[in-house]
C-alpha cells in the first residue's frame, strides 16, 4: 500500500516513535492526523512537520477517553479522509517506576488496559468499520516483546500488549472478507522518553533511533506483496 | 404504531416487514442476506452523526441551537466556522418537540453562550422562517472547531427515549465523515453480523456520503419545507459498482431514504450513477420514476411523512396501506430506533 495521498492516523504522535511515524508518513506524501493528549507538545510537533512541507494535523485527545474517540475519527475523516491507515502507537507503561503485579495498584492496571487496549479497540471499531464498506484499509498495532516474555515488573504493560496482539488476530480474521488488514509490529527498544521512564539506567547509545525505526515501519507498510493480515512481526517484517 | 424506547441488541436483529408485489410478510433483519443475490448491490450512507445540539443562553434566556448545515459561501464545500441552525426554546428530550416553547427572537450580533470556551455569534437571521433559522459563527475552524463541536455538542434527542442518547448511540457501524445532523438510521440494521453475512453470500455493500438532515424544525408550517437540500458525495468506486450491477440485471438496494435521495438525485442530474460531490435538492414523491434504486431498507415510518411518500414510488398506495395495517396489527415499532421495512419489487429477484 502506497502511503502517498492516503489519510493516516497515528496515535501517541507528540513525541517518540509516534512523532517519527507522523513525520515519515508526511515525508512520503501521506496526509497525517497526529493524536495526542499534550496539546502544546503535539501542536508543535505537527507544526514542525508542516514547516518541513508535510501535511500533518494535530488532534488533541486522550485515546482512553470514550467520549473522545468519535471526535478523533470525525476530525480525521473530514480533514484527511478517507483514512486508509491507522497506527495505534499511543501507550502507557502503567506504573512508573515499573513494579511487580503484587505492587501494582488496580486502577493503574486498568489504566494500562484503557490506553493500550480498549482505546485502540474503540477507535478501530469506528475507523475499521468505515474501511470495511470501502473494501480496504490497514490497522497497525505497535507491540513489544513484553507481550511474549514475562519480564518481571512489566506486567501491566506486557499483559495489555499481549491482549492487543490477540486483537490483531481476531480483527484480521473477522474483517478478512472486507479486505481490512491488521498487523502487530514490535519496533524493538528505542531511545524515547517511554524507554527512559521504564529503564532510566539504560544507555541511550545502545537503543535504536525512532526515526530509523519509523522509516523501516513505513517501508513495511509500502511493501508489496503485503505481509499476511494478522501477522506479528519486527520492523523488517520478520515473523515473531 | 408504538415508538421504540431504545436501540436493542438482538441476536436476530430487528423485526422486518418485507413488502413486495406478491405479498407482505414478517421476517428479521438478520435474514436480509437470504433475500438478495450476488448480482445485487447494497448501498449505505457512511456519514457520521454530528453532535448537532447545543444548549445556550442569550442574555440569560435558555434556548437550544440545532445545527442544520454549514452556511456555505459560493464554492466552499468544507465544514467551516459558520453554520445555519434552527432554534428551539427551553426544554429537553423529556418534552415533546411540538410542546417546546418558541425560542427568543435573536438579532445579528447576539452572543449565544454555550460554555466558558464556546460562544456562538449570530451572523444572520433568515427571512421567512419565523425567526427560527439563523447563521451562527464558531470561534474556531479546522481541528479546533471539531474539538468544540464534540466537547459541547450533544446528539439531537428524541422525546421517546428513556435516557439521553450519547454520541455512540447515534452512529452506524460504518460512520465516517461527520455530515449528518440526525442518524441515517436504516444503517443501524446492517450490523457487523449482517454485513459479514452479505459478504459470505457475495453481496457487495458500497458507501456514499449524504448529509442526513433534521426531521423537524419544531413548526408544522416550516416542516412542510423539509427535506432541505443536502450535500451528497458518491465515490467513483460506488458509482462504478452501481453501473455494473445495473448492467447485469442486479438490483440496487438503498439502505435508507437518504441513500435513495442521493442515488436518484445523482441520476436525475447526470443521467446515470456518476461520481460527484454536490448539493441534492430532489424531493421524492409518489410521482417519482426511479432510475437507479430498486429496493429500499428503511425504518417503519408513520403514514403521511415525507418518508412515506418515498415508499409510494415503490408500491401502490393500496399495497402500502395493507402493509402498514399488517404492521400495526403485528405491533411493529416506528421512529428512529424501531423496526425495519424492506421494500423489494418482487420476491423472485426481479427489478
Amino acid at each position: 500500500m502506497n502511503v502517498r495521498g492516503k489519510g493516516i492516523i497515528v496515535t501517541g504522535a507528540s513525541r517518540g516513535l509516534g512523532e517519527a511515524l507522523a513525520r515519515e508518513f508526511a515525508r512520503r506524501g501521506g496526509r497525517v492526523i497526529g493524536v495526542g493528549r499534550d496539546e502544546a507538545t503535539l501542536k508543535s510537533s505537527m507544526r514542525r512537520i508542516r514547516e518541513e512541507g508535510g501535511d500533518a494535523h494535530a488532534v488533541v485527545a486522550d485515546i482512553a477517553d470514550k467520549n473522545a474517540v468519535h471526535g478523533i475519527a470525525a476530525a480525521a475523516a473530514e480533514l484527511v479522509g478517507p483514512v486508509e491507515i491507522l497506527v495505534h502507537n499511543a501507550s502507557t507503561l502503567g506504573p512508573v517506576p515499573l513494579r511487580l503485579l503484587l505492587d501494582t495498584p488496580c486502577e493503574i492496571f486498568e489504566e494500562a488496559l484503557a490506553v493500550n487496549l480498549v482505546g485502540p479497540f474503540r477507535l478501530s471499531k469506528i475507523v475499521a468499520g468505515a474501511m470495511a464498506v470501502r473494501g480496504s484499509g490497514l490497522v497497525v498495532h505497535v507491540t513489544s516483546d513484553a507481550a511474549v516474555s514475562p519480564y518481571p515488573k512489566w506486567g501491566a504493560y506486557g499483559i495489555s500488549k499481549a491482549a492487543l496482539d490477540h486483537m490483531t488476530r481476531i480483527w484480521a480474521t473477522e474483517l478478512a472478507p472486507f479486505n481490512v488488514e491488521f498487523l502487530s509490529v514490535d519496533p524493538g527498544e528505542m531511545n524515547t522518553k517511554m524507554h527512559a521512564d521504564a529503564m532510566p539506567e539504560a544507555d541511550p547509545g545502545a537503543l535504536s533511533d525512532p526515526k530509523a525505526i519509523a522509516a523501516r515501519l513505513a517501508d513495511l507498510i509500502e511493501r508489496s506483496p503485503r505481509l499476511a493480515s494478522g501477522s506479528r512481526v519486527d520492523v523488517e517484517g520478520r515473523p515473531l | 404504531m408504538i415508538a421504540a424506547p431504545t436501540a436493542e441488541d438482538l441476536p436476530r436483529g430487528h423485526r422486518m416487514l418485507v413488502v413486495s408485489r406478491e405479498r407482505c410478510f414478517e421476517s428479521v433483519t438478520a435474514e436480509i442476506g437470504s433475500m438478495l443475490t450476488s448480482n445485487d448491490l447494497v448501498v449505505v450512507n457512511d456519514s457520521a452523526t454530528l453532535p448537532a445540539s447545543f444548549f445556550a443562553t442569550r442574555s440569560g434566556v435558555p434556548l437550544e441551537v440545532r445545527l442544520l448545515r454549514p452556511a456555505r459561501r459560493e464554492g466552499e464545500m468544507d465544514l467551516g466556522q459558520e453554520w445555519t441552525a434552527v432554534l428551539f426554546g427551553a426544554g429537553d428530550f423529556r418534552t415533546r418537540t411540538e410542546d417546546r416553547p418558541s425560542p427568543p427572537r435573536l438579532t445579528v450580533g447576539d452572543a449565544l453562550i454555550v460554555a466558558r470556551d464556546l460562544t456562538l455569534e449570530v451572523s444572520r437571521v433568515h427571512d421567512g422562517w419565523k425567526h427560527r433559522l439563523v447563521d451562527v459563527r464558531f470561534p474556531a475552524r479546522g481541528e479546533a472547531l471539531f474539538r468544540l463541536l464534540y466537547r459541547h455538542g450533544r446528539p439531537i434527542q428524541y422525546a421517546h427515549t428513556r435516557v439521553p442518547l450519547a454520541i455512540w448511540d447515534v452512529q452506524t457501524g460504518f460512520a465516517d465523515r461527520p455530515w449528518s445532523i440526525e442518524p441515517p438510521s436504516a444503517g443501524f440494521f446492517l450490523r457487523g453480523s449482517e454485513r459479514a453475512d452479505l459478504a459470505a453470500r457475495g453481496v457487495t455493500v458500497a458507501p456514499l456520503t449524504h448529509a442526513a438532515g433534521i426531521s423537524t424544525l419544531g413548526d408544522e408550517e416550516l416542516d412542510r419545507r423539509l427535506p432541505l437540500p443536502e450535500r451528497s458525495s458518491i465515490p467513483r468506486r460506488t458509482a462504478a459498482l452501481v453501473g455494473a450491477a445495473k448492467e447485469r440485471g442486479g438490483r440496487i438496494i438503498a439502505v435508507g431514504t437518504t441513500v435513495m435521495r442521493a442515488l436518484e438525485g445523482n441520476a436525475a442530474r447526470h443521467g446515470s450513477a456518476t461520481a460527484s460531490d454536490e448539493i441534492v435538492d430532489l424531493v421524492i414523491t409518489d410521482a417519482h420514476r426511479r432510475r437507479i434504486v430498486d429496493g429500499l431498507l428503511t425504518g417503519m415510518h408513520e403514514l403521511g411523512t415525507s418518508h412515506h411518500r418515498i415508499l409510494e414510488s415503490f408500491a401502490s398506495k393500496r399495497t402500502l396501506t395493507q402493509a402498514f395495517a399488517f404492521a400495526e396489527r403485528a405491533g411493529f415499532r416506528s421512529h428512529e430506533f424501531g423496526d425495519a421495512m424492506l421494500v423489494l419489487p418482487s420476491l423472485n429477484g426481479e427489478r
Side-chain angles (χ1 to χ4, degrees):
Chain A
M1 175 185 281
N2 233 298
V3 161
R4 179 161 299 281
K6 299 236 167 33
I8 305 172
I9 297 175
V10 179
T11 67
S14 301
R15 59 179 68 82
L17 179 63
E19 182 189 1
L21 282 169
R23 170 169 277 104
E24 185 61 32
F25 289 138
R27 200 183 61 76
R28 295 180 190 217
R31 307 170 63 218
V32 182
I33 295 286
V35 184
R37 278 180 309 172
D38 183 342
E39 178 166 2
T41 316
L42 179 69
K43 280 186 166 168
S44 77
S45 296
M46 296 303 107
R47 191 184 321 120
R48 272 197 301 277
I49 295 173
R50 281 198 304 276
E51 284 162 6
E52 292 159 16
D55 184 354
H57 310 256
V59 170
V60 181
D62 179 356
I63 188 66
D65 181 357
K66 180 176 186 178
N67 292 298
V69 279
H70 286 87
I72 296 171
E78 192 59 24
L79 295 170
V80 304
V83 172
E84 300 190 60
I85 302 170
L86 169 59
V87 181
H88 291 293
N89 164 78
S91 296
T92 182
L93 285 169
V96 176
L98 301 184
R99 61 199 83 159
L100 299 173
L101 286 174
L102 278 176
D103 298 330
T104 298
C106 301
E107 291 71 23
I108 305 289
F109 182 83
E110 284 183 313
E111 191 190 301
L113 293 179
V115 173
N116 299 348
L117 182 68
V118 183
F121 169 66
R122 285 201 190 100
L123 187 57
S124 282
K125 270 184 75 172
I126 304 169
V127 176
M131 288 173 169
V133 292
R134 284 195 296 268
S136 83
L138 173 66
V139 179
V140 177
H141 290 145
V142 175
T143 185
S144 161
D145 69 334
V148 177
S149 299
Y151 301 125
K153 300 194 182 176
W154 283 82
Y157 181 79
I159 288 163
S160 70
K161 291 299 189 182
L164 185 68
D165 284 340
H166 204 48
M167 196 157 72
T168 298
R169 294 179 206 107
I170 298 181
W171 272 133
T173 306
E174 290 183 354
L175 296 194
F178 306 103
N179 205 34
V180 180
E181 300 182 322
F182 290 78
L183 289 175
S184 267
V185 182
D186 175 1
E189 294 189 62
M190 300 168 286
N191 183 16
T192 62
K193 179 177 178 299
M194 174 173 273
H195 197 280
D197 286 346
M199 295 190 294
E201 72 289 351
D203 167 21
L207 303 171
S208 304
D209 176 1
K211 289 197 183 70
I213 299 296
R216 306 240 277 288
L217 213 156
D219 284 342
L220 206 78
I221 287 171
E222 297 200 296
R223 172 195 299 201
S224 184
R226 275 240 282 291
L227 295 161
S229 180
S231 297
R232 186 171 187 280
V233 296
D234 64 13
V235 276
E236 308 299 337
R238 288 181 295 234
L240 292 171
Chain B
M1 280 176 271
I2 312 152
T6 54
E8 286 172 358
D9 198 23
L10 306 159
R12 302 276 290 143
H14 287 260
R15 294 173 76 188
M16 181 170 70
L17 179 67
V18 182
V19 179
S20 70
R21 75 170 76 100
E22 293 97 352
R23 62 192 173 96
C24 155
F25 62 95
E26 177 169 354
S27 180
V28 285
T29 50
E31 290 295 315
I32 284 169
S34 69
M35 298 184 206
L36 304 177
T37 77
S38 54
N39 268 341
D40 300 323
L41 177 72
V42 174
V43 184
V44 298
N45 180 354
D46 70 2
S47 61
T49 305
L50 277 160
S53 163
F54 293 81
F55 283 89
T57 58
R58 194 280 308 256
S59 308
V61 177
L63 67 151
E64 182 190 353
V65 179
R66 291 187 187 177
L67 303 182
L68 286 184
R69 58 188 175 191
R72 197 167 296 106
R73 277 182 290 278
E74 190 65 51
E76 263 183 42
M77 294 296 279
D78 300 333
L79 292 185
Q81 260 179 301
E82 225 161 317
W83 286 72
T84 302
V86 60
L87 306 172
F88 287 79
D92 60 22
F93 73 98
R94 290 182 210 87
T95 314
R96 289 184 317 162
T97 309
E98 52 266 41
D99 297 336
R100 295 272 290 273
S102 294
R105 203 162 276 207
L106 303 184
T107 52
V108 172
D110 275 349
L112 309 178
I113 300 172
V114 176
R116 198 179 34 83
D117 59 344
L118 180 54
T119 297
L120 301 175
E121 187 199 325
V122 178
S123 58
R124 181 179 169 191
V125 179
H126 290 248
D127 286 327
W129 289 86
K130 299 186 177 178
H131 302 270
R132 297 188 78 107
L133 217 71
V134 296
D135 285 358
V136 293
R137 186 178 293 126
F138 278 79
R141 59 187 328 120
E143 188 273 323
L145 171 67
F146 278 101
R147 211 159 9 135
L148 291 172
L149 266 173
Y150 280 81
R151 181 185 301 153
H152 298 299
R154 297 282 173 271
I156 288 173
Q157 302 291 328
Y158 303 98
H160 59 273
T161 58
R162 265 181 270 124
V163 293
L165 297 166
I167 189 77
W168 47 82
D169 292 326
V170 294
Q171 309 300 335
T172 63
F174 31 79
D176 189 52
R177 281 183 289 181
W179 287 13
S180 286
I181 297 307
E182 294 188 24
S185 50
F188 296 147
F189 298 129
L190 289 194
R191 302 169 301 179
S193 62
E194 277 75 43
R195 299 198 313 275
D197 181 56
L198 288 167
R201 294 170 187 272
V203 182
T204 304
V205 178
L208 52 79
T209 313
H210 187 98
I214 209 160
S215 55
T216 173
L217 296 166
D219 178 279
E220 212 177 297
E221 188 196 318
L222 296 182
D223 280 353
R224 279 184 231 121
R225 302 183 196 179
L226 298 174
L228 300 173
E230 291 161 349
R231 183 177 174 193
S232 194
S233 172
I234 301 182
R236 218 168 301 131
R237 174 178 169 263
T238 298
L241 287 169
V242 170
K246 283 300 212 203
E247 206 145 309
R248 61 175 184 256
R251 296 167 298 182
I252 308 296
I253 310 297
V255 177
T257 53
T258 58
V259 171
M260 174 136 180
R261 192 177 198 206
L263 290 173
E264 293 294 317
N266 177 270
R269 183 169 297 169
H270 301 280
S272 59
T274 306
S276 66
D277 185 345
E278 56 198 6
I279 306 294
V280 170
D281 55 16
L282 175 73
V283 178
I284 295 176
T285 64
D286 55 339
H288 179 79
R289 289 177 61 93
R290 290 174 284 109
R291 294 165 108 112
I292 300 286
V293 176
D294 300 298
L296 176 69
L297 175 66
T298 183
M300 302 295 301
H301 287 100
E302 305 286 4
L303 286 161
T305 65
S306 64
H307 288 157
H308 187 73
R309 279 196 287 284
I310 287 173
L311 296 176
E312 288 168 10
S313 73
F314 286 94
S316 66
K317 275 196 165 70
R318 188 167 158 273
T319 303
L320 289 174
T321 305
Q322 286 176 345
F324 276 88
F326 178 105
E328 181 84 43
R329 279 195 308 273
F332 274 78
R333 298 170 314 167
S334 68
H335 223 288
E336 298 292 338
F337 298 99
D339 296 322
M341 184 172 188
L342 176 64
V343 185
L344 287 174
S346 160
L347 293 173
N348 62 17
E350 284 167 7
R351 283 203 251 176

